[in-house]
Amino acid sequence: MSRKKTFSIMAAASAMALTLSACGGSGGNDAGGDSGGGSSEGDTMRLALNQTEQHPSYITLTDFGERLSGGTDGWDIQVYPNETLGAQQEALQLVSDGSVEMAIVSGTQLENLNENFKVFNLPGVFQSIDHQMNVLNDEEIIGDLFTSLEEDENITVLSGGFTQGARSVYNSQRPIETPEDMNSLKFRVQESDVAQEMIRRMGGSPAPMAYGEVYSALQSGVIDGAENNEISYLTQKHNEVAQYFSYTEHLVGIDYMITNTDVLESMSEQDRETFQQEWSQTVDDFTALWKTQTEAAHATLEEEGVEFNQVDKQAFEEALAPIVEQNLSNEAQRQIYEATRAAAE
Ligand code: GCU
């Protein structure tokens, strides 16, 4: 048995204990249990999220659940925010095991299961949020990729996704204007090779860790900075412990909705159609809310004393340029990359 599986069983056990004590159990059919008939009555699906209740994902997912319960034969979603069911790496395993039905995970997590997901985690691949959304809703580009985890992992990735907007660096020491300014500083990154390589090329040292650990790592000085969007920076309160936010805008990130494949297949045809439609609506609602909340977050952060600055964009682009070629190592990745770039405005 691999380390991953052993770990997942432990994580599943603790998440189940948590779930049962939190809500007294869902009392319905098991996720991944005797499903597969395509007609079973619905149940409450648990959704693991690592964001706070103020984040647009929590808000739009809660609405998604309400619409589902009104429009299907008993399907509903219970969103567990703040990593209550585990950080994203654990959540991924829980969905695979069927002990949690759904989760929102960053693209970086999926590159660890299928390297072709790396393409969408590369700097410069998406030129805007609208470009990103067009690509991630284009079945011709994402079709094979998003079903690629079904057989081995029992995970289906839903089309679209939640944009992470442009990610930039922030730290507790100084404004960053050039890659040299990042020298000798340690930046937290998501747990992925591409993310680590990216910070190295940008001039800093990478420290991979889970999202929920970043605040205390910044506070204790274990790391000097991190990289993220303004909404995450604000909702995680990282501005309290790292006040310099520098607009590197090195990539437009993506969060995927992953679901347990058995659970999806246990839905009646009609409920699955409603599920898909309501999910597409949720993606649109999220994208719209994202744009207004990003502006609002910026204004709040300024009021709270964050020092924003622009950077030498060209210097960062040049430093990052080789990372694309280096990470396109097979034909499928190249095709996804070419199709994505061709869809840019
Ligand atoms: C963003 C993203 C999360 C991700 C986080 C991170 O907030 O939406 O899914 O986990 O960045 O940096 O870990």
Side-chain angles (χ1 to χ4, degrees), residues 162-182:
F162 288 167
T163 189
Q164 299 174 0
R167 296 178 72 112
S168 290
V169 296
Y170 49 88
N171 78 95
S172 58
Q173 304 298 314
R174 53 183 179 253
I176 302 295
E177 280 165 15
T178 64
E180 289 70 46
D181 294 334
M182 289 185 47

Side-chain angles (χ1 to χ4, degrees), residues 85-128:
L85 295 181
Q88 287 188 349
Q89 258 181 358
E90 290 127 21
L92 195 63
Q93 279 308 303
L94 295 175
V95 173
S96 178
D97 297 342
S99 38
V100 165
E101 292 76 21
M102 310 166 86
I104 296 289
V105 296
S106 184
T108 47
Q109 300 291 342
L110 296 193
E111 89 178 39
N112 298 322
L113 296 181
N114 174 354
E115 63 175 6
N116 295 347
F117 278 99
K118 273 186 183 176
V119 177
F120 295 142
N121 300 336
L122 293 171
V125 68
F126 296 120
Q127 83 178 28
S128 64

Side-chain angles (χ1 to χ4, degrees), residues 260-296:
N260 178 278
T261 306
D262 289 341
V263 172
L264 262 193
E265 288 177 354
S266 76
M267 290 182 181
S268 67
E269 214 174 293
Q270 199 181 343
D271 283 349
R272 183 147 180 192
E273 207 173 291
T274 307
F275 178 83
Q276 191 55 52
Q277 274 166 5
E278 294 301 348
W279 166 245
S280 301
Q281 181 63 52
T282 308
V283 171
D284 291 347
D285 293 349
F286 177 92
T287 309
L289 188 58
W290 182 263
K291 292 177 181 172
T292 56
Q293 274 212 9
T294 297
E295 279 175 32

Side-chain angles (χ1 to χ4, degrees), residues 308-327:
F308 287 102
N309 72 281
Q310 299 299 324
V311 306
D312 180 347
K313 275 273 178 72
Q314 203 185 333
F316 280 101
E317 271 166 29
E318 281 169 13
L320 284 169
I323 208 175
V324 172
E325 237 344 272
Q326 206 179 46
N327 281 284

Side-chain angles (χ1 to χ4, degrees), residues 123-341:
V125 68
F126 296 120
Q127 83 178 28
S128 64
I129 293 176
D130 292 341
H131 172 221
Q132 181 186 49
M133 283 299 124
N134 286 339
V135 168
L136 299 181
N137 280 299
D138 185 335
E139 282 299 318
E140 280 196 19
I141 303 178
I142 55 127
D144 289 346
L145 183 64
F146 282 23
T147 51
S148 65
L149 305 177
E150 291 181 348
E151 207 168 301
D152 290 345
E153 308 287 343
N154 202 17
I155 285 176
T156 302
V157 182
L158 300 189
S159 53
F162 288 167
T163 189
Q164 299 174 0
R167 296 178 72 112
S168 290
V169 296
Y170 49 88
N171 78 95
S172 58
Q173 304 298 314
R174 53 183 179 253
I176 302 295
E177 280 165 15
T178 64
E180 289 70 46
D181 294 334
M182 289 185 47
N183 289 174
S184 80
L185 298 184
K186 200 183 258 191
F187 289 83
R188 175 270 174 172
V189 291
Q190 300 179 78
E191 304 100 321
S192 101
D193 290 345
V194 170
Q196 294 191 56
E197 178 62 16
M198 192 182 64
I199 285 295
R200 262 186 228 112
R201 289 194 175 276
M202 290 171 78
S205 342
M209 69 180 72
Y211 190 49
E213 292 170 19
V214 181
Y215 185 98
S216 57
L218 282 168
Q219 192 177 38
S220 64
V222 167
I223 53 172
D224 303 294
E227 52 82 51
N228 220 313
N229 51 62
E230 288 127 302
I231 293 180
S232 291
Y233 177 57
L234 176 65
T235 52
Q236 293 295 307
K237 300 188 176 11
H238 292 172
N239 60 307
E240 291 178 359
V241 280
Q243 77 189 91
Y244 300 104
F245 191 103
S246 309
Y247 278 111
T248 46
E249 298 182 309
H250 45 271
L251 66 88
V252 180
I254 182 69
D255 281 335
Y256 296 109
M257 168 70 95
I258 58 165
T259 56
N260 178 278
T261 306
D262 289 341
V263 172
L264 262 193
E265 288 177 354
S266 76
M267 290 182 181
S268 67
E269 214 174 293
Q270 199 181 343
D271 283 349
R272 183 147 180 192
E273 207 173 291
T274 307
F275 178 83
Q276 191 55 52
Q277 274 166 5
E278 294 301 348
W279 166 245
S280 301
Q281 181 63 52
T282 308
V283 171
D284 291 347
D285 293 349
F286 177 92
T287 309
L289 188 58
W290 182 263
K291 292 177 181 172
T292 56
Q293 274 212 9
T294 297
E295 279 175 32
H298 183 90
T300 307
L301 289 164
E302 249 177 0
E303 273 165 32
E304 291 189 7
V306 169
E307 285 192 36
F308 287 102
N309 72 281
Q310 299 299 324
V311 306
D312 180 347
K313 275 273 178 72
Q314 203 185 333
F316 280 101
E317 271 166 29
E318 281 169 13
L320 284 169
I323 208 175
V324 172
E325 237 344 272
Q326 206 179 46
N327 281 284
L328 297 181
S329 54
N330 68 44
E331 195 41 39
Q333 289 175 328
R334 285 187 186 283
Q335 279 179 12
I336 297 169
Y337 181 78
E338 293 307 331
T340 301
R341 295 306 302 153

